[in-house]
Amino acid sequence: MSPNTPRKSRKPIQDDFDGAWKNMLSEKRLSAFIAFFMPEVHFEIDWQRGAEFLEQELRAITRKTKRGQRAVDRLVKVWLKDGRERWVLIHIEIQSQEEAGFPFRMFRYYFRGRDLFPERSIACLAVLGDENDTWKPDRYADDLWQTSVEFKFRIVKLKEYRDRLDELEQSPNPFARFVLAT
């Protein structure tokens, strides 16, 4: 090829973050995930009884969402040490920028879950992989003429772990290494 011959540009290889998260957040690693991101919750769960991923129920909740969104969702049934059964909706959002509709989507998933399974309590967690220091959406609220709703959910910002590199490198938890790699 001569120096004046234009080169074909290569498409950049995109990391499959949502696929990687989906692989990591398996039934086998759920306990490690909860221990890493929600240690106080981890102690409330009876891990000897195991956990059950509710894929069919999750599809019913998320069936009308747009395709192509970079999200990994899990709906998991766990038992607490006091014998109560709980469902945990884990919504992992891996994205590189803010999304105005994200809090509403979290609310929509929660509401659909409660609507479809009214006897179940559902806890929600969003793990955010964006780079914006100030974007920390942890609630959805709407108010009109004395009719209002406020939905709060837990978030984890992966960027905030960058100051804890030594701690992450020393941790035996597989999610510590995974967060280091992201």
Side-chain angles (χ1 to χ4, degrees):
M1 174 173 0
S2 77
N4 295 332
T5 305
R7 293 181 181 213
K8 289 184 180 179
S9 62
R10 292 184 187 178
K11 285 187 176 181
I13 298 172
Q14 290 185 329
D15 291 338
D16 185 11
F17 289 116
D18 52 343
W21 277 98
K22 194 168 265 191
N23 288 337
M24 277 298 290
L25 190 49
S26 64
E27 290 184 47
K28 177 180 163 186
R29 293 187 193 96
L30 178 67
S31 176
F33 177 87
I34 300 291
F36 186 78
F37 290 113
M38 300 186 291
E40 76 286 357
V41 173
H42 186 268
F43 293 110
E44 293 183 33
I45 296 173
D46 183 354
W47 293 105
Q48 292 182 350
R49 291 191 69 177
E52 180 182 345
F53 278 45
L54 304 170
E55 296 303 321
Q56 191 169 345
E57 291 84 350
L58 179 64
R59 278 192 292 280
I61 292 170
T62 62
R63 68 176 155 41
K64 291 184 181 178
T65 59
K66 293 179 187 175
R67 296 271 182 231
Q69 291 175 336
R70 295 178 61 88
V72 176
D73 302 309
R74 295 287 193 237
L75 184 62
V76 183
K77 179 169 52 173
V78 296
W79 285 265
L80 302 183
K81 288 182 179 173
D82 67 5
R84 290 182 294 159
E85 177 184 306
R86 289 292 186 242
W87 287 14
V88 181
L89 175 60
I90 302 171
H91 178 104
I92 301 176
E93 187 74 16
I94 305 299
Q95 60 186 34
S96 59
Q97 59 191 10
E98 290 181 48
E99 182 188 330
F102 176 71
F104 180 71
R105 190 166 64 248
M106 290 293 292
F107 172 69
R108 182 185 318 144
Y109 284 5
Y110 175 80
F111 180 80
R112 284 182 182 167
R114 291 302 310 256
D115 188 42
L116 289 168
F117 311 104
E119 71 285 358
R120 304 292 183 201
S121 295
I122 300 174
C124 300
L125 167 67
V127 179
L128 303 172
D130 66 284
E131 291 296 319
N132 186 337
D133 289 330
T134 60
W135 190 61
K136 297 183 178 180
D138 66 351
R139 70 191 64 223
Y140 169 77
D142 189 32
D143 186 1
L144 177 64
W145 301 326
Q146 298 180 345
T147 301
S148 65
V149 64
E150 182 178 31
F151 168 68
K152 298 178 189 177
F153 53 93
R154 186 176 187 149
I155 65 168
V156 171
K157 196 86 166 168
L158 294 178
K159 184 175 179 158
E160 294 175 355
Y161 285 89
R162 291 185 184 151
D163 296 335
R164 300 167 51 187
L165 295 180
D166 289 340
E167 177 186 337
L168 293 174
E169 288 172 353
Q170 301 300 319
S171 175
N173 190 306
F175 282 92
R177 302 255 182 222
F178 192 68
V179 168
L180 272 171
T182 59

